[in-house]
Amino acid sequence: MRLYRDKLIADVSALHHFEEPPTISFAPAETICSLCGTELTVLKTRNRTGVTLDIGPFEARETVLQCPHDGSVYPSEHLRRLFPVRSTFSYDVLVYVGKALFVRNRIEEEICHELSALNITISDREIAYLGKKFVLYLALAHRESISRLRRAMIYRGGYILHVDGTCEGDSPHLFTGLDGLADIVLDTIKIPSEKAELLIPFFRRLKRQFGDPLVVVHDMGKGIIQAVREVFPDVTDLICHFHFLRDIGKDFLEDDYSRLRTYLQKEKVRFSIRQKARHLETLIALTPAVVEELITSLQNGSLDPSSVHALPAVTTYALIHWAFDVSGEVHGYGFPFDRSHLVFYQRLQHLRQLFGRVKTITQRGNRYQSNPFYRIWNYLDKIMNNHEIQTVVAHLEEKVLVFDRLRAALSIALFDGKRGLNDEGATLSIKTIEQKVQEFRDEICSHDDLMKQKDYQKMIQQIDTYWEKLFADPIMVWTPMGEVLIQPQRTNNILERFFRNIKRKHRKKSGSNSLNKALKAILEETPLIQNLDNHDYMRILLDGCITLEERFAKIESERVITELKRTQRKSDLMFPNIKKIIKNNKLPLKIEKLYTSAVQL
């Protein structure tokens, strides 16, 4: 931060030599009325305080002219291009703050320090206010660019509409529509839930703005499916392969996986084994050389007979931590693709067998060190002799093999995948994938014993229900460059990545993983910030302007003020004083006493 601030000071030092804010005069460029040709006269001179990045604070003295014939008023256009109406801070400060908040993910305090280095004094509250204004200026510029965005879509042959939403806890849903071909956020809305009646107006707005998409890609939410059917009845409707596979896997594996997880928690297995590891750690600390001795033995592939009684403690300690470290067998996809509790249990099974084979190895001396292999084997043997959980795990392992075969058939979220939730699937033809899924389905259905089980019946039913929405042929579209074949994306991960990016930025700024409060406070237009990294979008948005500051200056400031009032009304759904009194846990009792006393009077 210090180096960054020093650089800022060096860059602008030539501009900040004013001991007192200077006074700068502004006047209109016109001296003759553009309507009647009459010479303009001075109507008034007014002063205002302004702050820009280049100058810092200064006094602006504006001369306003007027036509004596028709009364037309001529203010300074130069001043209007520098400052929004009724604003102390210029457009360049506004854009600086907006990019610092949403692109560089700085917190208000950091931005205050950065601007202080530029001789600009500003409060945290003003930073937050300018951040809101930045989002609203961007939203208005975006709306003014819709016709140009639509022409660009036509030039590409159309657009693929990806729709998805994010929420946490009781927060509203931030729902977004994105063009998958251009990677551009088209529109956003904040709604209480993803019910069809709330989504239909949003989809109609997208249709009115951009026309029918070539394809709509979404998850398996019933509200989304119903709304898409209502608004885009003739458009190819596709289910994201990743969402489809994840939902099937959750339904297929969740019951058994939940039983295993609950058992491990109820028996406090992780806690108990960690305690044993901590005890061993204190013993190892007394003879730290045994750690190097174990490493040497592993490298050589042989154990010195003299070390047989010295190494069990450190060996047991290392194996316990190996059981906890399941990172090598999970790939960042989340459940049901990653099953960390099952991997942990399987590793404990492996340790139980290993310790059972070598538990006779003992060491003379301290009785607590005498047989660490036996002690951990004895504990694991008791935990894993539970017949019920053995049955659950065996059943779960069977189903995991089946589910992983479906993963392989769909060629997505594969075991050796390195992209985690960014995985968009293998680049196979849709026909090949469809054929593999068909073969998988037919094989499962051929086993009568499997088809008698509800989990397998439900899995096949889901495959059949969504079959037509899973496999789409390439689409031939016309463009000014000729016919182009477009293959719709198999996943909606483009939006998943987008929402993860929002969460990552929020976590970086606030230090909190929860988006609950942020989603309640965030303006619904905020996801448009994502478009600032898209060069094609920025060319369209700027509309001939060189900078965002110049583009924002072309927007009527009064429109932004109106939008700010609208967002304030939306957020103030409860009277401020009511918010205070509902914090009282005894509120019902107090209200009851009020009414009781009133009746007695």
Side-chain angles (χ1 to χ4, degrees), residues 41 47 52 103 107 125 139 148 154 169 186 198 203 220 241 251 266 287 310 356 393 397 399 420 465 477 544 558 576:
T41 59
N47 292 346
T52 70
V103 178
I107 61 174
R125 189 169 182 176
R148 294 189 296 278
I154 294 171
L186 301 176
L198 299 175
F203 287 170
M220 298 163 67
H241 284 192
D251 291 342
K266 180 182 177 182
T287 54
V393 170
E397 288 174 335
K399 290 163 73 175
T465 299
V477 298
E558 295 292 347

Side-chain angles (χ1 to χ4, degrees), residues 182-404:
D183 197 12
I184 290 174
V185 175
L186 301 176
D187 204 351
T188 61
I189 190 172
K190 195 155 67 168
I191 50 180
S193 67
E194 293 182 7
K195 292 183 178 179
E197 58 265 29
L198 299 175
L199 292 173
I200 286 172
F202 176 65
F203 287 170
R204 284 176 176 161
R205 189 168 79 194
L206 283 168
K207 184 174 183 176
R208 186 169 61 252
Q209 293 172 335
F210 303 103
D212 279 337
L214 300 169
V215 175
V216 183
V217 184
H218 53 85
D219 63 23
M220 298 163 67
K222 292 180 180 179
I224 298 178
I225 292 174
Q226 186 178 340
V228 169
R229 189 185 304 122
E230 172 73 23
V231 181
F232 303 112
D234 301 320
V235 174
T236 301
D237 178 18
L238 297 181
I239 295 292
C240 164
H241 284 192
F242 185 86
H243 281 95
F244 170 75
L245 190 56
R246 184 172 65 186
D247 285 7
I248 276 191
K250 284 182 177 179
D251 291 342
F252 190 56
L253 303 176
E254 177 61 39
D255 285 348
D256 290 324
Y257 191 70
S258 179
R259 289 193 188 98
L260 172 60
R261 181 174 59 239
T262 301
Y263 177 76
L264 292 173
Q265 291 170 348
K266 180 182 177 182
E267 297 296 330
K268 299 181 180 179
V269 174
R270 293 176 186 272
F271 174 77
S272 300
I273 295 178
R274 281 197 177 99
Q275 274 194 322
K276 297 181 185 304
R278 290 191 191 102
H279 171 68
L280 291 170
E281 193 170 316
T282 59
L283 298 179
I284 296 167
L286 300 175
T287 54
V290 296
V291 176
E292 294 301 323
E293 196 171 342
L294 174 62
I295 293 172
T296 302
S297 298
L298 290 171
Q299 289 173 342
N300 295 337
S302 61
L303 182 65
D304 188 334
S306 64
S307 300
V308 168
H309 301 296
L311 292 183
V314 68
T315 306
T316 305
Y317 177 81
L319 287 170
I320 287 174
H321 282 284
W322 171 83
F324 279 107
D325 184 21
V326 301
S327 57
E329 295 189 54
V330 296
H331 302 284
Y333 295 117
F335 182 77
F337 308 102
D338 296 328
R339 285 89 49 169
S340 58
H341 292 294
L342 177 60
V343 173
F344 175 63
Y345 185 88
Q346 289 169 332
R347 288 194 169 201
L348 292 184
Q349 284 181 316
H350 189 63
L351 291 190
R352 178 196 180 198
Q353 295 168 358
L354 171 64
F355 291 140
R357 290 194 293 268
V358 298
K359 64 183 178 180
T360 55
I361 298 176
T362 61
Q363 178 179 341
R364 301 183 188 89
N366 190 302
R367 63 188 181 88
Y368 293 107
Q369 284 183 289
S370 61
N371 203 336
F373 286 152
Y374 175 81
R375 292 178 181 280
I376 192 68
W377 171 84
N378 190 47
Y379 173 75
L380 293 178
D381 195 54
K382 290 177 182 177
I383 289 296
M384 298 194 166
N385 266 332
N386 183 303
H387 178 71
E388 183 181 347
I389 204 63
Q390 286 177 345
T391 303
V392 168
V393 170
H395 195 210
L396 179 59
E397 288 174 335
E398 269 180 34
K399 290 163 73 175
V400 162
L401 292 175
V402 173
F403 174 67
D404 286 347

Side-chain angles (χ1 to χ4, degrees), residues 409 411 428-439:
S411 300
L428 298 176
S429 73
I430 289 296
K431 287 297 181 186
T432 300
I433 295 171
E434 184 177 10
Q435 182 180 349
K436 287 184 174 183
V437 175
Q438 182 69 60
E439 291 171 356

Side-chain angles (χ1 to χ4, degrees), residues 156-160 162 178-183 214 486-487 489 494:
R156 288 192 299 270
Y159 74 106
I160 294 178
H162 291 255
L178 182 144
D179 175 7
L181 292 181
D183 197 12
L214 300 169
I486 294 176
Q487 176 63 60
Q489 294 98 320
I494 191 170

Side-chain angles (χ1 to χ4, degrees), residues 528-592:
L528 293 172
I529 297 290
Q530 187 79 2
N531 293 338
L532 295 178
D533 293 328
N534 188 307
H535 296 296
D536 291 335
Y537 174 85
M538 289 303 296
R539 177 179 50 79
I540 295 170
L541 183 84
L542 292 175
D543 191 25
C545 297
I546 304 301
T547 63
L548 267 180
E549 294 90 328
E550 186 182 345
R551 179 66 183 88
F552 286 176
K554 295 173 69 173
I555 297 171
E556 294 179 14
S557 299
E558 295 292 347
R559 293 174 63 195
V560 178
I561 294 171
T562 301
E563 287 293 307
L564 278 169
K565 290 179 180 177
R566 177 185 64 82
T567 59
Q568 187 65 30
R569 286 195 300 272
K570 277 189 172 183
S571 60
D572 289 344
L573 299 178
M574 187 186 301
F575 292 107
N577 289 337
I578 294 293
K579 290 183 179 180
K580 293 178 183 177
I581 67 172
I582 65 174
K583 297 295 183 183
N584 192 321
N585 293 332
K586 297 182 179 180
L587 180 62
L589 181 60
K590 287 180 175 289
I591 289 178
E592 182 182 351

